[in-house]
Amino acid sequence: LLSKHADNLKPPLSCLSCLYYPDPDESDEAMANAVILECQVLTLQFVFLRPILAITLFVLEMLKEGDEPMPTWDWRSPKLYITLVQNISVFCAFRGLLKFYHAVHTYIEWVEPLPKFLCIKGIVFLTFWQSMLLNVFANAGGGGGDQDPDEWADEIQNLLICLEMLGFSIAHYFVFPAEEWEEGFIRRRLDMSVGDSIAFGDFVSDVKLVVNSSRSA
């Protein structure tokens, strides 16, 4: 399907050119395959890096001396560099998913893919950056008092996620109705705020769904 409208596709990243075969410029089908491969690589690198970085950070926390938590914003702390790699990985994955959405949204418009995209990915990426902002705010002296800034930021993040769960779960109910797969289904139109358009979902299973869909394209 994508090869029929290859002129509307943005060229894939040149830094991944060693992975494209045949060359994207050879045909419309090659261009479509290269774009899908780009989206897969950008997305799945997060799936592999995230657990590796989490395990690495856990091991470093266990091996460090003393009971004080590892500082996040000290250039001598490995946690700073792990956090930077996580940010780059999250940005790349989000870019890949956005490009995939723009490439295929006209073919799946009947299921209103944008709210679904926000429901699945918003909770993964937006809460990650929410955690980062809270950590920056705490280390800048914005809260916590005598409490350790990182611990205070983690507590606030956990509280916010618990509160956000209710709105996300309600939105998930409306954005993913089981009835939409019934024959003759007509989607109900609801006036929902932006906050109600975000819900929780499992990131790994959704990436598999994206990969399977891209292969069928």
Side-chain angles (χ1 to χ4, degrees):
L1 291 176
L2 293 181
S3 60
K4 296 179 181 178
H5 305 280
D7 294 340
N8 297 327
L9 297 176
K10 292 184 179 180
L13 294 173
S14 57
C15 60
L16 299 176
S17 58
C18 60
L19 302 177
Y20 307 143
Y21 183 81
D23 188 273
D25 295 328
E26 289 187 10
S27 66
D28 291 343
E29 184 176 357
M31 174 63 74
N33 289 334
V35 169
I36 292 300
L37 180 59
E38 174 196 15
C39 296
Q40 292 177 353
V41 171
L42 291 178
T43 303
L44 293 179
Q45 57 79 27
F46 175 84
V47 178
F48 292 107
L49 277 179
R50 181 63 174 175
I52 292 174
L53 294 174
I55 293 172
T56 301
L57 185 59
F58 175 78
V59 172
L60 291 175
E61 287 281 3
M62 295 293 293
L63 296 177
K64 70 178 178 61
E65 297 180 357
D67 297 329
E68 292 295 324
M70 190 181 301
T72 304
W73 304 107
D74 187 344
W75 66 272
R76 295 167 297 183
S77 172
K79 188 176 181 179
L80 171 64
Y81 302 100
I82 291 176
T83 302
L84 291 175
V85 174
Q86 284 181 336
N87 271 278
I88 295 173
S89 177
V90 168
F91 173 80
C92 291
F94 197 65
R95 184 188 189 280
L97 291 170
L98 277 177
K99 186 164 187 177
F100 180 82
Y101 164 75
H102 285 298
V104 304
H105 76 279
T106 54
Y107 306 109
I108 55 177
E109 196 66 38
W110 65 277
V111 294
E112 298 187 355
L114 182 57
K116 289 179 169 59
F117 177 84
L118 295 176
C119 284
I120 299 297
K121 302 310 170 194
I123 192 60
V124 176
F125 297 120
L126 298 184
T127 54
F128 174 81
W129 283 313
Q130 175 181 272
S131 175
M132 289 292 301
L133 291 175
L134 285 172
N135 203 289
V136 171
F137 179 73
N139 281 273
D146 296 332
Q147 187 178 4
D148 179 77
D150 291 337
E151 290 183 358
W152 180 85
D154 288 341
E155 291 177 0
I156 298 300
Q157 171 73 350
N158 293 336
L159 175 62
L160 288 176
I161 289 180
C162 289
L163 295 175
E164 292 161 354
M165 173 70 84
L166 177 61
F168 294 158
S169 59
I170 294 174
H172 199 102
Y173 174 79
F174 291 106
V175 172
F176 291 92
E179 297 84 6
E180 73 180 5
W181 299 104
E182 296 178 358
E183 186 175 355
F185 170 76
I186 299 177
R187 177 173 292 278
R188 293 168 292 174
R189 297 291 177 176
L190 298 175
D191 294 328
M192 294 192 299
S193 62
V194 174
D196 293 332
S197 298
I198 303 175
F200 283 92
D202 183 77
F203 177 77
V204 175
S205 62
D206 191 67
V207 168
K208 292 180 180 178
L209 178 61
V210 170
V211 172
N212 292 334
S213 300
S214 64
R215 288 174 179 172
S216 63

